[in-house]
Each structure stands twice: as C-alpha cells, then as structure tokens.
Amino acid sequence: MRSEHVRGAAVYALVLLGALLTVAPLVLSALTALKTPQQFARESALTPPHPVTMENFHTAFEHGLGRAVLVTALMTAFITGGQLLTSILAAYAFARTQFPGRDTLFWVYLATMMVPPMVTLIPLYLMFAKLGWLNTFWALVLPFMFGSPYAIFLLRQYFRAIPGELIGAARLDGANTLDILVHVMVPMSRPILATLTLITVVSQWNTFMWPLVASSGQRWQVLTVATANFQTQYNAQWTLVMAATTVAIAPLVVLFVVFQRQVLRSIAWTGIR
C-alpha cells in the first residue's frame, strides 16, 4: 500500500514538473513583454513587472505585427474551413460508400503522410512561380485547403463507428446522402471535429517554411515570419521580441481553453485515453 502511494506521488511529481516546463516559457514571455527595457536589464526574469507597461505591444503593432496577425488569422480560417469541408466529404466517401478501389485509394492517400513537407517545397514553389501566384494570399492557402490525410483518417474511423441503423432510419425518412452527412454524421461528430479544428488551427497558425518561401515583404507576411524578423531586427530589445512572441502564443492558449472539453470528450469516446 505504501509503495502505491509512493508511485502515485512520483507520477504526480513528474506530471507537475512537465506542466511547469511547458508553462514556464509562456509565463516568462508574458512577464518580459510587460516590462520596460530598463526593468528587464536590471531585474530577474521572474520578477513581476512594476509598473506594467503595454508600450512593447504598441511598438510591435506599429512595426507591422498587427497586419501579420490579420493575415495569419485569415489564412488559418481559410485553410481550416477548407480542410474540414473536404475532409468530411472524403471521410464519408471512404467510410460509408462503396466504389471500386476504395480501400486501395484510401491507403495510398494515407501513405502521403510519410512524405516530408520539405520534399514538396520546391515543386510547389516552381508551380506557383509559373502561375504567377507567388506573394499572393492564394499562394499561402491553396496548397493546404483540400483535405488532410490525418483528418480524413480520424473522421473515417469516427464515421465507421456510428451505428448504421441511424443512417438506415434517415434513408427511410427520405434523406439523401447530403442530408445524412449534414444532419446525422456531422452533429454526432462534434467532439472529433472540435479536435481537428484545434489541431489544424495550431498547425497552420505556427506554419513557417512555406509562407517564408511563398511571400516577401510585409503585405502577406504571417505571424511566425514576422516574429522571426523581429528577433533579427531587434535582437537586443528582448522586451519587444517577447511582446511579439506573446501575441503569437496568446490566441492558441485561448483556443485550447475554449475547446478543451470537446477535445477530452473525443479522446474518451474513441478510447484512446
């Protein structure tokens, strides 16, 4: 009995340590961003700011960070909406319809997950250069809008677990395929859709390499590229750099807080936990 308590305490200690290691950079970033350069230079990084100042955020937005936030939000919204729509349609086709070569096509498409993104970077660049679409908004969103192998795989497994009797009852009531998808499959898949939304938003919000290659200047500069440029241009002004970093992190933290219940429900439902 005593050994079980010791093991339990050790597990909680490790979890607490992991949580601290995860949260500490976020807290340090926010604390630094709320300090003046003079406070940051003469005090410990863990010292709370006194007085709290928003001047670093104001300066960062004056240097183009606000436009980068807008471009990133717009890009993320387009890609997330497109991926969810096309992934739902493809997953339903792979899970609930019959056509020749369905399973072969699904596994071939799933195998594309093993292709590193860097392999497709140069072909994508050349293709968009030939089309004359570099340094445009569509260059940022079009390569990633049409489905995701990971999302299609998760949704296919989720759709296959929904009882077929529900679909049969809907067909008896006169529902067509689109009605079944909209009124049966999607409402019953809200937890997994919330999880996929969170995963897609986080991955696209943090994307760096393709926006760096596909755009130049500040017009279509995304937040990750803008933050990297801040680190290069203002490498001695850490309060300003941390203000840009905090702006980049804060929406993702808020998003997780909003969606955490749905994420936990999807994990519990699929039996992963």
Side-chain angles (χ1 to χ4, degrees):
M1 193 70 178
R2 185 181 180 85
S3 61
E4 291 181 2
H5 287 300
V6 172
R7 281 198 298 268
V11 169
Y12 279 113
L14 288 174
V15 170
L16 180 60
L17 178 61
L20 289 175
L21 291 175
T22 302
V23 174
L26 310 182
V27 174
L28 288 175
S29 174
L31 289 177
T32 305
L34 295 172
K35 294 178 180 179
T36 63
Q38 294 75 19
Q39 286 179 336
F40 176 72
R42 68 172 182 261
E43 296 175 354
S44 169
L46 294 175
T47 303
H50 56 85
V52 172
T53 178
M54 303 299 291
E55 185 62 28
N56 297 310
F57 295 97
H58 180 70
T59 304
F61 276 89
E62 280 185 341
H63 287 78
L65 191 67
R67 179 173 181 83
V69 171
L70 181 61
V71 170
T72 305
L74 194 60
M75 178 194 72
T76 303
F78 267 76
I79 293 176
T80 302
Q83 280 202 14
L84 287 179
L85 177 62
T86 53
S87 296
I88 288 171
L89 295 174
Y92 182 82
F94 284 128
R96 291 295 182 177
T97 61
Q98 298 291 334
F99 56 88
R102 182 191 69 173
D103 293 338
T104 301
L105 180 61
F106 172 73
W107 291 112
V108 168
Y109 182 63
L110 197 64
T112 61
M113 291 178 64
M114 295 185 292
V115 179
M118 295 302 295
V119 173
T120 61
L121 186 67
I122 294 177
L124 271 178
Y125 178 84
L126 294 176
M127 182 174 66
F128 277 88
K130 290 288 186 181
L131 292 171
W133 288 357
L134 290 177
N135 204 30
T136 66
F137 177 72
W138 298 113
L140 297 177
V141 301
L142 282 179
F144 309 103
M145 280 184 62
F146 302 105
S148 161
Y150 178 74
I152 291 172
F153 173 75
L154 284 185
L155 285 170
R156 174 181 178 267
Q157 299 306 108
Y158 208 95
F159 287 169
R160 292 181 70 179
I162 293 175
E165 290 79 4
L166 292 175
I167 299 175
R171 291 199 182 278
L172 288 176
D173 288 338
N176 57 32
T177 300
L178 186 59
D179 291 330
I180 293 172
L181 189 60
V182 173
H183 299 293
V184 178
M185 308 300 282
V186 170
M188 294 191 67
S189 305
R190 285 176 183 169
I192 197 68
L193 289 174
T195 303
L196 287 175
T197 298
L198 182 62
I199 292 172
T200 306
V201 168
V202 170
S203 64
Q204 297 305 322
W205 188 270
N206 290 326
T207 189
F208 175 76
M209 186 56 67
W210 174 247
L212 177 67
V213 171
S215 63
S216 58
Q218 289 192 348
R219 185 177 183 185
W220 298 114
Q221 189 177 76
V222 300
L223 194 52
T224 51
V225 177
T227 305
N229 288 340
F230 265 78
Q231 293 175 347
T232 302
Q233 296 172 13
Y234 308 103
N235 58 352
Q237 301 180 35
W238 286 108
T239 55
L240 189 59
V241 173
M242 288 300 103
T245 304
T246 302
V247 170
I249 294 172
L252 301 182
V253 175
V254 172
L255 190 68
F256 178 77
V257 171
V258 172
F259 280 97
Q260 62 175 327
R261 182 173 299 178
Q262 286 82 0
V263 172
L264 293 175
R265 284 178 57 196
S266 70
I267 293 174
W269 195 91
T270 52
I272 298 176
R273 185 173 62 187

